[in-house]
Amino acid sequence: MLTLGARTAFAADLHSALSQRPRSISPKYFYDEIGSGLFEQICELPEYYPTRTELALLNRHGAEMAECMGPGAQLIEYGAGALRKVRPLLDHLVRPQAFVPVDISGPHLLAACAALARDYPHLHIAPLVADFTQAHELPTRTAPGRRVGFFPGSSIGNFAPAEVQSFLGMAAQELRGGGLLIGIDLIKDPAVLHAAYNDAAGVTAAFNLNLLARARRELGLQFDPEGFIHSAFYNAPLQRIEMHLLSRRAQVLHLGGEAYEFAAGETLHTENSCKYSVAGFQTVAARAGFAAGPVWTDENGWFALLWLQAP
Ligand code: AVJ
């Protein structure tokens, strides 16, 4: 369910996306009820390695990661979601002061917290419903101890370079004296990347196309669903996967009384998923004041979790 304000924001963003050249819209609009379900399915796909690779790293090295965080920490998870990945950390953290998952979706966050509370009855869970990329107020620390951040999933891959800098700048301030554990998807064989975003079962295609279907359901967008196809490719110079909705033919979309023309082959750019080298990301983080710490990566070198010491 969308509030009136959220629907208006989606409509305004879609109007401006369709008016600009190149056309592009924020990937946050993938995640309605249906889109979130499709993303859960993506995480289980044989071709989509990030989720299982990161979970394996957390399970294998959770004790070392928790040691970096130190005893009595206040743990902040950015963009919390289903709270599956924090469990291997909680299993090893010594006397955490509090766990503060921050997520924009209130109902999902509270449901995930209720499930977590059943398994960690002694943990103080203090959910914060907020957009963590905007100014937000964390709970005050009740005891000495470090404030540490957790940002899994390579969600940072969706951020443009300027957004990465502003997120890391904000995190460096609020985690001052502590640190950040962050998951990043690494630069690799483009064939592996291509398969991960072009799965054989077509789930990623459905996830991408759901953006237009959602706009039809919520905003009354008029378009021919057969008129667009999923397009995902590795942009090597920019080191990112790009996802687009590609128009198969000349067509006109109608949204709230406006008509928007697509020529055959024109696209609406729906997502960037940036890939990094470990050293490259550490350099970016250093600009925000973070010092490089331990790095955990899988045997293929496909995914990494980095400990970054805050200033
Ligand atoms: C949630 C941003 C990490 O970039 O891999 C998965 C989203 N898009 N398949 C990613 C996504 C297509 C995912 N992130």
Side-chain angles (χ1 to χ4, degrees):
M1 264 289 286
L2 263 194
T3 62
L4 193 54
R7 183 170 318 209
T8 309
F10 183 23
D13 281 356
L14 188 56
H15 275 292
S16 77
L18 295 173
S19 308
Q20 37 169 344
R21 296 294 181 279
R23 302 175 184 87
S24 78
I25 191 159
S26 166
K28 73 181 177 193
Y29 293 115
F30 285 142
Y31 300 94
D32 68 343
E33 206 66 30
I34 292 174
S36 300
L38 288 167
F39 181 66
E40 293 293 309
Q41 287 184 47
I42 287 174
C43 293
E44 306 287 325
L45 290 169
E47 299 96 331
Y48 193 76
Y49 60 85
T51 310
R52 84 176 62 86
T53 307
E54 184 177 43
L55 258 177
L57 289 170
L58 287 161
N59 283 320
R60 200 173 313 146
H61 304 289
E64 299 152 57
M65 296 170 186
E67 201 182 315
C68 288
M69 294 180 164
Q74 188 188 68
L75 175 61
I76 319 297
E77 180 170 347
Y78 298 106
L83 301 182
R84 272 166 63 217
K85 290 176 180 165
V86 76
R87 289 166 181 255
L89 297 176
L90 293 173
D91 289 340
H92 297 285
L93 267 185
V94 178
R95 295 183 310 279
Q97 200 177 113
F99 172 52
V100 185
V102 187
D103 200 277
I104 191 121
S105 167
H108 283 110
L109 180 60
L110 299 182
C113 286
L116 192 73
R118 280 194 288 277
D119 296 335
Y120 298 86
H122 301 294
L123 179 66
H124 175 49
I125 306 174
L128 180 60
V129 179
D131 176 352
F132 66 85
T133 65
Q134 304 295 312
H136 56 263
E137 194 83 35
L138 292 175
T140 46
R141 279 170 278 195
T142 53
R146 312 198 312 163
R147 194 181 259 163
V148 296
F150 181 44
F151 192 23
S154 70
S155 304
I156 191 118
N158 274 165
F159 293 11
E163 294 169 330
V164 173
Q165 277 314 323
S166 77
F167 168 74
L168 290 174
M170 176 277 300
Q173 289 316 307
E174 73 183 18
L175 304 175
R176 191 160 275 280
L180 173 66
L181 180 67
I182 187 165
I184 58 168
D185 196 14
L186 298 175
I187 294 165
K188 62 181 62 62
D189 182 345
V192 174
L193 290 171
H194 191 271
Y197 294 85
N198 290 280
D199 63 280
V203 183
T204 308
F207 174 71
N208 194 10
L209 287 159
N210 177 56
L211 192 140
L212 290 176
R214 176 187 185 184
R216 184 184 44 220
R217 291 190 294 271
E218 293 178 5
L219 310 175
L221 174 73
Q222 289 174 275
F223 73 106
D224 171 12
E226 302 289 296
F228 284 91
I229 55 166
H230 166 68
S231 168
F233 56 88
Y234 186 57
N235 181 333
L238 295 179
Q239 300 178 334
R240 68 191 193 194
I241 285 282
E242 294 188 15
M243 294 215 315
H244 295 252
L245 290 161
L246 190 153
S247 181
R248 302 171 65 195
R249 50 179 174 75
Q251 59 180 314
V252 182
L253 278 60
H254 295 274
L255 179 66
E258 301 287 332
Y260 295 103
E261 288 179 27
F262 278 76
E266 285 190 331
T267 76
L268 171 62
H269 187 174
T270 49
E271 182 170 44
N272 288 320
S273 184
C274 298
K275 311 306 171 190
Y276 291 93
S277 66
V278 168
F281 196 83
Q282 287 171 333
T283 302
V284 169
R287 262 178 243 143
F290 284 101
V295 177
W296 298 272
T297 184
D298 55 294
E299 43 287 335
N300 293 318
W302 284 356
F303 198 95
L305 280 151
L306 276 57
W307 177 253
L308 299 169
Q309 196 74 47

